[in-house]
Amino acid sequence: MSYHIESADGVMTFTIDRPHIRNAVNDEIIDGMEELVRSAGKSEVRLVIVTAAGDQAFCSGGDLSVFHALRTEEEAYPMLKRMSQALYALKTLPIPVIALVNGTAVGGGCEIATACDYRLVKAHAKCGFVQGNLVITSGWGGGTYLFEALQHDHALQMLGEARLYTADELETNGWATKVIRSPKDIDVFLSQMKKVRPEVHRAYKEMAIRKWKETNLEGRVEEEVRRCAQLWAEDAHHEAVDKFLNKTNQ
Ligand SMILES: CCCC(=O)SCCNC(=O)CCNC(=O)[C@H](O)C(C)(C)COP(=O)(O)OP(=O)(O)OC[C@H]1O[C@@H](n2cnc3c(N)ncnc32)[C@H](O)[C@@H]1OP(=O)(O)O
């Protein structure tokens, strides 16, 4: 199984479990994300944590060995759309959603984390919207969410530079809610949240969701998905992915 969903004490944890491939997202992970948002919406869950196995990577984005088979705009769009819908549902859960960024997050991995309300980033983790190096944009909604989360110039810079940022840089630009230097830091963060009753957290999250609905967040994500699907079909993208898969991009 490529993922696990566990529940304890009102906390539902989704763990991507493909460390050998740096927790890249395949179709099964997308199934899992859909299962997560269904379960978290229905049960007595007070918060969700999204994380991954091992300490090397949170997520390396889409599994290029699988998704590189998608050659045209028409083939790429359904995959991008489906994951974008799962992440939109995650983002608009009426409870806090925390990304526990246990290691490197790149490409779609950053998009998953950006869809969350909070990003707790382990000190050794490096993260970046590297899609530009593959001659595509973000395509799961993460670019749109980044403009919601960060000051405009910080968001545009992070997307446009397509490089890895250190945890300290991520705290400075506002992407990391907190840099995690010891496991105790996570406990402190969670216990502080749990001091306030779940209905209060829910009411605040609903305020944010109202704003996102009024500003047509979903429609803006759809534009992002469509643009990425167009770029996906270009030769320049396929050549860049070939270089990565054939390890000739050094
Ligand atoms: C579809 C939405 C948009 C997207 O997500 S586009 C995809 C963006 N992602 C990328 O470009 C990921 C590129 N990966 C990397 O830069 C590095 O692998 C990364 C994440 C920094 C980790 O570096 P290292 O820790 O040195 O590990 P490594 O490179 O030796 O990787 C270990 C094995 O995993 C593989 N891998 C990593 N990310 C992958 C991916 N996204 N899809 C498919 N395979 C991937 C990598 O090829 C390597 O395989 P192998 O063990 O040499 O056979």
Side-chain angles (χ1 to χ4, degrees):
M1 196 71 173
S2 304
Y3 68 91
H4 310 285
I5 299 177
E6 287 152 341
S7 243
D9 195 21
V11 178
M12 183 166 277
T13 303
F14 180 80
T15 306
I16 303 174
D17 193 3
R18 307 185 77 210
H20 61 286
I21 195 165
R22 303 301 181 262
N23 295 313
V25 171
N26 59 5
D27 287 315
E28 195 175 42
I29 304 280
I30 305 181
D31 294 343
M33 195 57 80
E34 290 171 343
E35 183 188 336
L36 170 71
V37 291
R38 275 195 307 272
S39 314
K42 274 183 199 156
S43 52
E44 293 305 306
V45 181
R46 62 176 296 177
L47 64 92
V48 166
I49 295 176
V50 178
T51 191
D55 60 7
Q56 280 182 302
F58 172 72
C59 174
S60 59
D63 184 338
L64 296 169
S65 66
V66 176
F67 295 146
H68 195 39
L70 309 172
R71 307 302 292 185
T72 65
E73 181 179 343
E74 292 70 26
E75 287 168 351
Y77 177 81
M79 179 278 288
L80 296 170
K81 177 74 181 169
R82 192 170 158 234
M83 186 61 171
S84 79
Q85 285 176 319
L87 290 186
Y88 181 79
L90 182 74
K91 184 164 186 67
T92 54
L93 280 175
I95 50 176
V97 180
I98 299 167
L100 176 51
V101 182
N102 52 300
T104 298
V106 299
C110 275
E111 301 197 49
I112 295 171
T114 308
C116 300
D117 298 304
Y118 301 98
R119 283 161 291 284
L120 307 184
V121 181
K122 292 224 175 148
H124 69 277
K126 293 192 175 161
C127 307
F129 282 81
V130 300
Q131 289 90 334
N133 299 329
L134 298 180
V135 204
I136 53 172
T137 59
S138 54
W140 289 343
T144 303
Y145 301 151
L146 196 70
F147 282 113
E148 289 289 311
L150 264 55
Q151 188 181 302
H152 172 81
D153 53 342
H154 290 174
L156 196 58
Q157 189 177 24
M158 197 174 174
L159 293 166
E161 285 183 348
R163 69 170 173 94
L164 296 182
Y165 283 53
T166 63
D168 288 335
E169 284 181 294
L170 294 163
E171 196 170 42
T172 302
N173 82 357
W175 193 79
T177 308
K178 185 169 181 48
V179 176
I180 301 299
R181 302 188 193 278
S182 88
K184 200 170 127 259
D185 293 341
I186 302 169
D187 298 340
V188 169
F189 186 87
L190 293 179
S191 62
Q192 191 65 40
M193 286 197 80
K194 285 182 179 172
K195 281 186 190 157
V196 174
R197 286 178 61 99
E199 56 268 36
V200 175
H201 285 291
R202 187 174 280 265
Y204 281 131
K205 185 70 188 280
E206 284 165 355
M207 277 182 207
I209 294 169
R210 273 197 294 280
K211 185 191 87 174
W212 293 331
K213 292 205 163 144
E214 279 163 16
T215 58
N216 190 24
L217 183 66
E218 197 170 13
R220 287 185 279 138
V221 167
E222 170 63 12
E223 294 300 325
E224 174 181 334
V225 172
R226 287 201 176 281
R227 192 71 184 97
C228 182
Q230 286 166 355
L231 290 167
W232 192 287
E234 298 287 331
D235 290 343
H237 167 64
H238 297 306
E239 283 161 19
V241 177
D242 282 337
K243 279 188 186 161
F244 172 74
L245 293 174
N246 299 326
K247 318 224 179 287
T248 51
N249 57 342
Q250 310 304 326

